[in-house]
Amino acid sequence: MSTKEKTKKAANPDKAIADYLAAANRPYSINDIVNNLTGAVGKTAAVKSLAALTDKGEIVCKTWGKASVYWKKQEDVAPPSEEEVAAMDSKISALQEELMTLKDQNRSLQGQLSGVNSTMTTEELKARLLEFRKENQALSSRVERLSSGVESVTRADKEMVDKDFMKFSKAWKSRKRKVKEIVGMLSEGMDKKPKILAEEMGIETDEMVGLDYDKVIGQIS
């Protein structure tokens, strides 16, 4: 079906909905009806049409809690048995429970995403990561010079360098872990592999730039 056909509005929403329910001959929620009509009837118009058709007795509406379903009035068909009604009620209850579970999962993901957004943006994380890499490279270079005896320092200087190096290396490891956790959470919610999502977000990992955390730390061990 083309986009033009999907967006074409029905001239008579009441008739469009009545004909659809008659052809489908099964219960539908208002959202199902609007979606299945692929834009021929908007939700606002559908609400009015369903109310009008129900008042005229052309369709039947049954409500369970906050959920309502509609179907074509079955004039020549025997009403459902108590067992059938019980089965329908059971199915609706199961669907409502599933809906609640999905809503809880959505709220959890939204909370995680809000937490991510409230900490640092992707660009900020990339900038900070670049800073840590430069700082660690500078410290590594100085450690190499000190180890080779090119530059003489006092014990206090050495202790200060070691302290700064460990502080920045811990920050590097912490930031790396946080980025990995954030990408992991987002990839799970988006059903993508972390590596693919990281590439799409433009995040460069240590491995991508040939940086080995354990090797850098080993240089001062």
Side-chain angles (χ1 to χ4, degrees):
M1 183 178 289
S2 68
T3 303
K4 183 177 180 180
E5 291 174 332
K6 288 184 178 181
T7 57
K8 185 177 180 180
K9 297 296 182 181
N12 188 333
D14 289 12
K15 185 176 185 304
I17 291 177
D19 290 346
Y20 172 72
L21 290 177
N25 197 30
R26 56 161 289 181
Y28 282 110
S29 70
I30 184 169
N31 287 333
D32 289 335
I33 293 171
V34 172
N35 291 335
N36 293 341
L37 288 175
T38 60
V41 179
K43 188 168 184 178
T44 301
V47 171
K48 295 179 181 178
S49 293
L50 288 169
L53 292 169
T54 301
D55 291 341
K56 290 189 288 186
E58 294 185 28
I59 65 173
V60 178
C61 172
K62 187 171 179 62
T63 301
W64 288 270
K66 295 183 179 180
S68 296
V69 293
Y70 303 84
W71 64 88
K72 180 68 175 177
K73 186 174 182 180
Q74 307 292 298
E75 298 175 350
D76 301 321
V77 179
S81 64
E82 293 183 1
E83 290 78 8
E84 291 173 330
V85 172
M88 291 176 62
D89 288 341
S90 177
K91 184 176 181 179
I92 290 174
S93 296
L95 290 173
Q96 288 177 330
E97 290 180 4
E98 182 180 357
L99 177 61
M100 291 302 297
T101 299
L102 292 174
K103 286 184 176 179
D104 289 340
Q105 293 176 353
N106 182 60
R107 279 194 293 269
S108 176
L109 290 173
Q110 289 293 338
Q112 293 173 4
L113 182 58
S114 297
V116 170
N117 291 335
S118 65
T119 52
M120 298 183 74
T121 65
T122 300
E123 294 302 320
E124 290 172 336
L125 285 170
K126 289 169 66 177
R128 290 290 290 167
L129 184 60
L130 182 60
E131 289 178 11
F132 287 133
R133 286 172 177 166
K134 290 180 178 179
E135 291 168 353
N136 277 301
Q137 288 174 349
L139 288 172
S140 297
S141 298
R142 189 176 183 192
V143 168
E144 289 179 358
R145 292 197 302 272
L146 294 174
S147 299
S148 63
V150 174
E151 182 178 345
S152 60
V153 295
T154 64
R155 178 181 294 275
D157 288 337
K158 183 178 184 303
E159 290 177 350
M160 181 181 69
V161 170
D162 289 343
K163 182 178 179 181
D164 286 344
F165 189 89
M166 292 308 298
K167 180 181 72 172
F168 289 123
S169 65
K170 287 180 180 179
W172 174 10
K173 188 174 183 180
S174 174
R175 290 292 180 181
K176 179 178 179 180
R177 185 183 68 254
K178 287 181 179 180
V179 170
K180 185 176 181 180
E181 291 174 352
I182 290 169
V183 172
M185 288 188 298
L186 292 176
S187 65
E188 183 178 350
M190 299 171 68
D191 195 23
K192 290 186 177 181
K193 291 184 178 180
K195 183 177 179 180
I196 294 176
L197 181 59
E199 292 176 354
E200 292 179 353
M201 296 173 68
I203 297 176
E204 292 183 345
T205 64
D206 293 344
E207 292 74 13
M208 291 172 63
V209 295
L211 199 58
D212 189 333
Y213 174 84
D214 293 330
K215 183 177 179 180
V216 172
I217 296 301
Q219 292 175 351
I220 64 169
S221 300

